[in-house]
């Protein structure tokens, strides 16, 4: 009973905030999702990542092990997902990226924070950064046939991660007034991303729901198994292992739909994956958390 209550306390704020965004749209209120997303990814999330890493008490060696485990995990997920897409005769441009990349930002960061505290958030931003770099290069190439290393290096969240890691390794701290300012900016990120997730799901018009449910279940099994294996191989501690599995196992990100829409892939099928995997996560993530805690 205590474990059940703990899991509910972790997931309830996440889905309630997403529910607020969903209800906001259904009630007909305006929500400028492009502006909010740009504000979060350009300003708030980089500040959150930087301050979390700068203030963490986690050993640099542990963060290095997690980084390597994350790279291996996403490499394994990429190869396995490619085999699934090929074996089922699916269109690569439409289905491969959504099966690889999860919602590690909007959903993964809040869950890691609520489940594992500040240390979990510090680990989670590392996984998020590795995923983002892979997504901005290989992920864009999958959908559009083009990726740019220069674009990655212009992303504020990448610099927030690199600078945060540097400050962590060197033991540096920003002046108190600046730390407080950056912390306030970072505190906007989690509620803003969750509400935006609900707004985005409410606006989607899904297609191919039957296939989407099957693929969502396959994605969940693949991601959990590979992330767990990678974490065990690199001998991650309990918190790092839990965060890695949780982050990699998050449902299909709304950004996959936006990329499909932008570059002419089958956006409605991707929308079906987003909706199906997100709804599946309502039941799956609490069960997964019960094993990870």
């Amino acid at each position: 009973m205590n474990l059940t209550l703990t899991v509910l306390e972790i997931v309830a704020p996440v889905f309630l905030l997403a529910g607020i965004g969903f209800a906001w749209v259904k009630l007909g209120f305006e929500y400028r999702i492009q502006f909010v997303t740009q504000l979060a990814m350009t300003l708030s999330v980089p500040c959150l990542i930087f301050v979390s890493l700068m203030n963490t008490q986690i050993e640099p060696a542990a963060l290095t092990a997690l980084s390597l485990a994350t790279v291996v995990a996403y490499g394994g997920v990429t190869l396995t997902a490619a085999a699934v897409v090929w074996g089922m005769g699916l269109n690569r441009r439409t289905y491969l990226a959504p099966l690889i990349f999860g919602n590690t930002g909007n959903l993964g960061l809040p869950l890691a924070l609520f489940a594992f505290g500040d240390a979990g958030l510090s680990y989670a931003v590392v996984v998020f950064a590795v995923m983002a770099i892979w997504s901005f290069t290989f992920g864009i190439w999958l959908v559009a046939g083009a990726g740019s290393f220069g674009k990655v290096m212009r992303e504020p969240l990448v610099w927030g991660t690199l600078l945060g890691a540097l400050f962590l390794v060197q033991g540096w701290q920003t002046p108190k007034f600046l730390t407080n300012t950056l912390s306030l900016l970072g505190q906007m990120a989690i509620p803003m991303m969750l509400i935006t997730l609900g707004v985005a799901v409410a606006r989607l018009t899904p297609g191919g729901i039957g296939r989407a449910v099957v693929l969502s279940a396959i994605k969940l099994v693949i991601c959990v198994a590979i992330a767990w294996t990678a974490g065990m191989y690199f001998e991650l501690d309990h918190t790092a292992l839990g965060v890695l599995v949780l982050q990699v196992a998050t449902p299909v990100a709304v950004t996959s739909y936006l990329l499909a829409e932008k570059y002419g892939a089958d956006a409605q099928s991707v929308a079906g994956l987003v909706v199906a995997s997100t709804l599946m996560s309502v039941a799956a993530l609490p069960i997964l958390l019960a094993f990870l805690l």
Side-chain angles (χ1 to χ4, degrees):
M1 179 62 71
N2 288 337
L3 178 59
T4 302
L5 182 60
T6 299
V7 171
L8 288 176
E9 289 173 346
I10 292 168
V11 300
V14 172
F15 290 113
L16 284 174
L17 282 172
I20 289 173
F22 188 93
W24 186 272
V25 169
K26 294 303 182 183
L27 290 172
F29 297 133
E30 181 183 13
Y31 194 95
R32 299 186 179 182
I33 193 168
Q34 185 175 4
F35 166 75
V36 175
T37 300
Q38 185 175 15
L39 177 64
M41 299 304 290
T42 304
L43 183 63
S44 187
V45 174
C47 289
L48 174 68
I49 290 173
F50 174 77
V51 173
S52 297
L53 287 176
M54 180 179 67
N55 290 335
T56 188
Q57 302 300 313
I58 300 170
E59 292 294 326
L63 289 178
T64 300
L66 176 61
S67 299
L68 293 173
T70 303
V71 170
V72 170
Y74 274 110
V77 169
T78 298
L79 293 175
T80 307
V84 169
V85 168
W86 178 80
M88 296 180 66
L90 302 175
N91 182 275
R92 188 202 70 185
R93 292 182 60 229
T94 297
Y95 289 99
L96 185 50
L99 290 179
I100 297 171
F101 304 110
N103 206 337
T104 56
N106 297 59
L107 196 56
L109 292 180
L111 281 174
L113 174 63
F114 295 146
F116 300 101
D118 290 336
L121 179 61
S122 298
Y123 282 132
V125 297
V126 175
V127 181
F128 174 54
V130 172
M131 185 282 302
I133 293 171
W134 191 226
S135 175
F136 289 145
T137 52
F138 181 70
I140 292 177
W141 175 80
L142 284 176
V143 181
S148 171
F149 180 75
K151 180 179 179 180
V152 174
M153 297 311 297
R154 290 194 297 270
E155 287 292 333
L157 67 89
V158 174
W159 282 106
T161 303
L162 294 176
L163 288 174
L166 177 63
F167 273 62
L168 169 64
V169 172
Q170 296 296 329
W172 297 340
Q173 289 285 321
T174 54
K176 188 68 175 177
F177 76 91
L178 182 56
T179 301
N180 289 341
T181 302
L182 294 173
S183 296
L184 283 174
L185 288 170
Q187 287 170 17
M188 295 192 302
I190 287 178
M192 191 160 53
M193 288 190 298
L194 285 173
I195 292 172
T196 302
L197 173 62
V199 170
V201 171
R203 289 178 175 172
L204 292 176
T205 304
I209 289 297
R211 174 181 286 177
V213 170
V214 172
L215 289 174
S216 297
I218 292 173
K219 171 181 167 60
L220 180 63
V221 172
I222 288 172
C223 289
V224 170
I226 292 177
W228 203 300
T229 301
M232 295 298 291
Y233 178 80
F234 284 95
E235 299 180 344
L236 301 183
D237 63 36
H238 176 75
T239 300
L241 176 63
V243 169
L244 176 64
V245 174
L246 185 64
Q247 282 281 66
V248 177
T250 49
V252 179
V254 177
T255 52
S256 294
Y257 166 77
L258 298 177
L259 285 174
E261 185 75 37
K262 180 177 181 179
Y263 293 111
D266 187 351
Q268 297 310 312
S269 293
V270 177
L273 282 171
V274 174
V275 172
S277 62
T278 301
L279 292 176
M280 188 177 293
S281 72
V282 176
L285 289 180
I287 296 172
L288 182 59
L289 276 169
F291 283 98
L292 296 175
L293 293 176

PDB file of all heavy atoms in Angstrom, residues 39-40 43-45 47-48 178-190 192:
ATOM      1  N   LEU A  39      10.137  29.302 -25.703  1.00  0.00           N
ATOM      2  CA  LEU A  39      10.557  29.873 -24.420  1.00  0.00           C
ATOM      3  C   LEU A  39      11.180  28.802 -23.527  1.00  0.00           C
ATOM      4  O   LEU A  39      12.223  29.015 -22.897  1.00  0.00           O
ATOM      5  CB  LEU A  39       9.353  30.510 -23.713  1.00  0.00           C
ATOM      6  CG  LEU A  39       9.611  31.104 -22.318  1.00  0.00           C
ATOM      7  CD1 LEU A  39      10.585  32.267 -22.406  1.00  0.00           C
ATOM      8  CD2 LEU A  39       8.297  31.536 -21.673  1.00  0.00           C
ATOM      9  N   ALA A  40      10.545  27.627 -23.506  1.00  0.00           N
ATOM     10  CA  ALA A  40      11.043  26.542 -22.652  1.00  0.00           C
ATOM     11  C   ALA A  40      12.391  26.028 -23.146  1.00  0.00           C
ATOM     12  O   ALA A  40      13.346  25.886 -22.361  1.00  0.00           O
ATOM     13  CB  ALA A  40      10.023  25.407 -22.607  1.00  0.00           C
ATOM     14  N   LEU A  43      15.236  29.053 -23.153  1.00  0.00           N
ATOM     15  CA  LEU A  43      15.587  29.755 -21.917  1.00  0.00           C
ATOM     16  C   LEU A  43      15.418  28.895 -20.665  1.00  0.00           C
ATOM     17  O   LEU A  43      16.378  28.653 -19.937  1.00  0.00           O
ATOM     18  CB  LEU A  43      14.737  31.026 -21.797  1.00  0.00           C
ATOM     19  CG  LEU A  43      15.022  31.927 -20.590  1.00  0.00           C
ATOM     20  CD1 LEU A  43      16.447  32.460 -20.657  1.00  0.00           C
ATOM     21  CD2 LEU A  43      14.024  33.087 -20.552  1.00  0.00           C
ATOM     22  N   SER A  44      14.205  28.405 -20.440  1.00  0.00           N
ATOM     23  CA  SER A  44      13.909  27.786 -19.157  1.00  0.00           C
ATOM     24  C   SER A  44      14.609  26.442 -18.956  1.00  0.00           C
ATOM     25  O   SER A  44      15.235  26.205 -17.920  1.00  0.00           O
ATOM     26  CB  SER A  44      12.390  27.616 -19.008  1.00  0.00           C
ATOM     27  OG  SER A  44      12.078  27.170 -17.707  1.00  0.00           O
ATOM     28  N   VAL A  45      14.513  25.547 -19.943  1.00  0.00           N
ATOM     29  CA  VAL A  45      15.126  24.223 -19.804  1.00  0.00           C
ATOM     30  C   VAL A  45      16.656  24.303 -19.711  1.00  0.00           C
ATOM     31  O   VAL A  45      17.255  23.630 -18.865  1.00  0.00           O
ATOM     32  CB  VAL A  45      14.688  23.290 -20.949  1.00  0.00           C
ATOM     33  CG1 VAL A  45      15.442  21.960 -20.877  1.00  0.00           C
ATOM     34  CG2 VAL A  45      13.185  23.043 -20.876  1.00  0.00           C
ATOM     35  N   CYS A  47      18.420  26.671 -18.433  1.00  0.00           N
ATOM     36  CA  CYS A  47      18.709  27.144 -17.076  1.00  0.00           C
ATOM     37  C   CYS A  47      18.507  26.019 -16.062  1.00  0.00           C
ATOM     38  O   CYS A  47      19.310  25.855 -15.136  1.00  0.00           O
ATOM     39  CB  CYS A  47      17.811  28.327 -16.729  1.00  0.00           C
ATOM     40  SG  CYS A  47      18.214  29.849 -17.623  1.00  0.00           S
ATOM     41  N   LEU A  48      17.438  25.252 -16.231  1.00  0.00           N
ATOM     42  CA  LEU A  48      17.175  24.122 -15.341  1.00  0.00           C
ATOM     43  C   LEU A  48      18.317  23.114 -15.390  1.00  0.00           C
ATOM     44  O   LEU A  48      18.802  22.634 -14.354  1.00  0.00           O
ATOM     45  CB  LEU A  48      15.862  23.452 -15.738  1.00  0.00           C
ATOM     46  CG  LEU A  48      15.503  22.154 -15.003  1.00  0.00           C
ATOM     47  CD1 LEU A  48      15.204  22.426 -13.539  1.00  0.00           C
ATOM     48  CD2 LEU A  48      14.316  21.466 -15.680  1.00  0.00           C
ATOM     49  N   LEU A 178      23.011  35.452  -9.421  1.00  0.00           N
ATOM     50  CA  LEU A 178      22.826  34.840 -10.728  1.00  0.00           C
ATOM     51  C   LEU A 178      22.241  33.438 -10.603  1.00  0.00           C
ATOM     52  O   LEU A 178      21.369  33.037 -11.385  1.00  0.00           O
ATOM     53  CB  LEU A 178      24.160  34.798 -11.479  1.00  0.00           C
ATOM     54  CG  LEU A 178      24.137  34.231 -12.904  1.00  0.00           C
ATOM     55  CD1 LEU A 178      23.142  34.999 -13.770  1.00  0.00           C
ATOM     56  CD2 LEU A 178      25.529  34.275 -13.517  1.00  0.00           C
ATOM     57  N   THR A 179      22.702  32.695  -9.592  1.00  0.00           N
ATOM     58  CA  THR A 179      22.162  31.351  -9.354  1.00  0.00           C
ATOM     59  C   THR A 179      20.669  31.413  -9.054  1.00  0.00           C
ATOM     60  O   THR A 179      19.879  30.619  -9.576  1.00  0.00           O
ATOM     61  CB  THR A 179      22.898  30.671  -8.184  1.00  0.00           C
ATOM     62  OG1 THR A 179      24.286  30.585  -8.483  1.00  0.00           O
ATOM     63  CG2 THR A 179      22.347  29.269  -7.937  1.00  0.00           C
ATOM     64  N   ASN A 180      20.273  32.380  -8.218  1.00  0.00           N
ATOM     65  CA  ASN A 180      18.851  32.531  -7.883  1.00  0.00           C
ATOM     66  C   ASN A 180      18.029  32.889  -9.120  1.00  0.00           C
ATOM     67  O   ASN A 180      16.914  32.382  -9.309  1.00  0.00           O
ATOM     68  CB  ASN A 180      18.674  33.614  -6.818  1.00  0.00           C
ATOM     69  CG  ASN A 180      19.187  33.182  -5.460  1.00  0.00           C
ATOM     70  OD1 ASN A 180      19.353  31.991  -5.199  1.00  0.00           O
ATOM     71  ND2 ASN A 180      19.466  34.147  -4.589  1.00  0.00           N
ATOM     72  N   THR A 181      18.574  33.746  -9.976  1.00  0.00           N
ATOM     73  CA  THR A 181      17.871  34.125 -11.205  1.00  0.00           C
ATOM     74  C   THR A 181      17.708  32.938 -12.138  1.00  0.00           C
ATOM     75  O   THR A 181      16.617  32.682 -12.668  1.00  0.00           O
ATOM     76  CB  THR A 181      18.642  35.245 -11.928  1.00  0.00           C
ATOM     77  OG1 THR A 181      18.784  36.370 -11.056  1.00  0.00           O
ATOM     78  CG2 THR A 181      17.894  35.673 -13.195  1.00  0.00           C
ATOM     79  N   LEU A 182      18.804  32.201 -12.338  1.00  0.00           N
ATOM     80  CA  LEU A 182      18.753  31.026 -13.208  1.00  0.00           C
ATOM     81  C   LEU A 182      17.815  29.959 -12.635  1.00  0.00           C
ATOM     82  O   LEU A 182      17.113  29.271 -13.387  1.00  0.00           O
ATOM     83  CB  LEU A 182      20.155  30.445 -13.388  1.00  0.00           C
ATOM     84  CG  LEU A 182      21.153  31.343 -14.136  1.00  0.00           C
ATOM     85  CD1 LEU A 182      22.547  30.724 -14.102  1.00  0.00           C
ATOM     86  CD2 LEU A 182      20.711  31.574 -15.573  1.00  0.00           C
ATOM     87  N   SER A 183      17.807  29.813 -11.324  1.00  0.00           N
ATOM     88  CA  SER A 183      16.918  28.831 -10.688  1.00  0.00           C
ATOM     89  C   SER A 183      15.452  29.181 -10.916  1.00  0.00           C
ATOM     90  O   SER A 183      14.631  28.307 -11.205  1.00  0.00           O
ATOM     91  CB  SER A 183      17.207  28.743  -9.186  1.00  0.00           C
ATOM     92  OG  SER A 183      18.508  28.265  -8.941  1.00  0.00           O
ATOM     93  N   LEU A 184      15.116  30.464 -10.782  1.00  0.00           N
ATOM     94  CA  LEU A 184      13.738  30.892 -11.021  1.00  0.00           C
ATOM     95  C   LEU A 184      13.322  30.627 -12.470  1.00  0.00           C
ATOM     96  O   LEU A 184      12.210  30.160 -12.730  1.00  0.00           O
ATOM     97  CB  LEU A 184      13.590  32.379 -10.696  1.00  0.00           C
ATOM     98  CG  LEU A 184      13.507  32.751  -9.212  1.00  0.00           C
ATOM     99  CD1 LEU A 184      13.518  34.266  -9.037  1.00  0.00           C
ATOM    100  CD2 LEU A 184      12.256  32.156  -8.579  1.00  0.00           C
ATOM    101  N   LEU A 185      14.226  30.922 -13.400  1.00  0.00           N
ATOM    102  CA  LEU A 185      13.921  30.648 -14.806  1.00  0.00           C
ATOM    103  C   LEU A 185      13.739  29.148 -15.041  1.00  0.00           C
ATOM    104  O   LEU A 185      12.847  28.731 -15.790  1.00  0.00           O
ATOM    105  CB  LEU A 185      15.051  31.175 -15.699  1.00  0.00           C
ATOM    106  CG  LEU A 185      15.144  32.697 -15.831  1.00  0.00           C
ATOM    107  CD1 LEU A 185      16.445  33.089 -16.535  1.00  0.00           C
ATOM    108  CD2 LEU A 185      13.950  33.240 -16.591  1.00  0.00           C
ATOM    109  N   GLY A 186      14.576  28.338 -14.421  1.00  0.00           N
ATOM    110  CA  GLY A 186      14.481  26.894 -14.575  1.00  0.00           C
ATOM    111  C   GLY A 186      13.230  26.298 -13.969  1.00  0.00           C
ATOM    112  O   GLY A 186      12.699  25.306 -14.469  1.00  0.00           O
ATOM    113  N   GLN A 187      12.734  26.923 -12.895  1.00  0.00           N
ATOM    114  CA  GLN A 187      11.540  26.391 -12.230  1.00  0.00           C
ATOM    115  C   GLN A 187      10.296  26.499 -13.102  1.00  0.00           C
ATOM    116  O   GLN A 187       9.309  25.801 -12.876  1.00  0.00           O
ATOM    117  CB  GLN A 187      11.323  27.122 -10.904  1.00  0.00           C
ATOM    118  CG  GLN A 187      12.315  26.739  -9.821  1.00  0.00           C
ATOM    119  CD  GLN A 187      12.239  27.632  -8.607  1.00  0.00           C
ATOM    120  OE1 GLN A 187      11.253  28.355  -8.400  1.00  0.00           O
ATOM    121  NE2 GLN A 187      13.287  27.602  -7.796  1.00  0.00           N
ATOM    122  N   MET A 188      10.334  27.368 -14.110  1.00  0.00           N
ATOM    123  CA  MET A 188       9.198  27.457 -15.035  1.00  0.00           C
ATOM    124  C   MET A 188       9.086  26.223 -15.913  1.00  0.00           C
ATOM    125  O   MET A 188       8.006  25.889 -16.397  1.00  0.00           O
ATOM    126  CB  MET A 188       9.356  28.671 -15.961  1.00  0.00           C
ATOM    127  CG  MET A 188       9.320  30.013 -15.314  1.00  0.00           C
ATOM    128  SD  MET A 188       9.174  31.311 -16.578  1.00  0.00           S
ATOM    129  CE  MET A 188      10.616  31.008 -17.596  1.00  0.00           C
ATOM    130  N   ALA A 189      10.211  25.548 -16.138  1.00  0.00           N
ATOM    131  CA  ALA A 189      10.288  24.555 -17.207  1.00  0.00           C
ATOM    132  C   ALA A 189       9.324  23.392 -17.010  1.00  0.00           C
ATOM    133  O   ALA A 189       8.572  23.043 -17.925  1.00  0.00           O
ATOM    134  CB  ALA A 189      11.725  24.039 -17.326  1.00  0.00           C
ATOM    135  N   ILE A 190       9.347  22.777 -15.842  1.00  0.00           N
ATOM    136  CA  ILE A 190       8.600  21.534 -15.655  1.00  0.00           C
ATOM    137  C   ILE A 190       7.090  21.734 -15.765  1.00  0.00           C
ATOM    138  O   ILE A 190       6.435  21.041 -16.556  1.00  0.00           O
ATOM    139  CB  ILE A 190       9.015  20.853 -14.345  1.00  0.00           C
ATOM    140  CG1 ILE A 190      10.418  20.247 -14.522  1.00  0.00           C
ATOM    141  CG2 ILE A 190       8.001  19.790 -13.928  1.00  0.00           C
ATOM    142  CD1 ILE A 190      10.979  19.585 -13.289  1.00  0.00           C
ATOM    143  N   MET A 192       5.503  24.159 -17.199  1.00  0.00           N
ATOM    144  CA  MET A 192       5.221  24.669 -18.537  1.00  0.00           C
ATOM    145  C   MET A 192       5.259  23.541 -19.566  1.00  0.00           C
ATOM    146  O   MET A 192       4.395  23.461 -20.457  1.00  0.00           O
ATOM    147  CB  MET A 192       6.250  25.752 -18.885  1.00  0.00           C
ATOM    148  CG  MET A 192       5.925  26.554 -20.117  1.00  0.00           C
ATOM    149  SD  MET A 192       6.811  28.151 -20.152  1.00  0.00           S
ATOM    150  CE  MET A 192       8.505  27.616 -19.903  1.00  0.00           C
TER     151      MET A 192
END
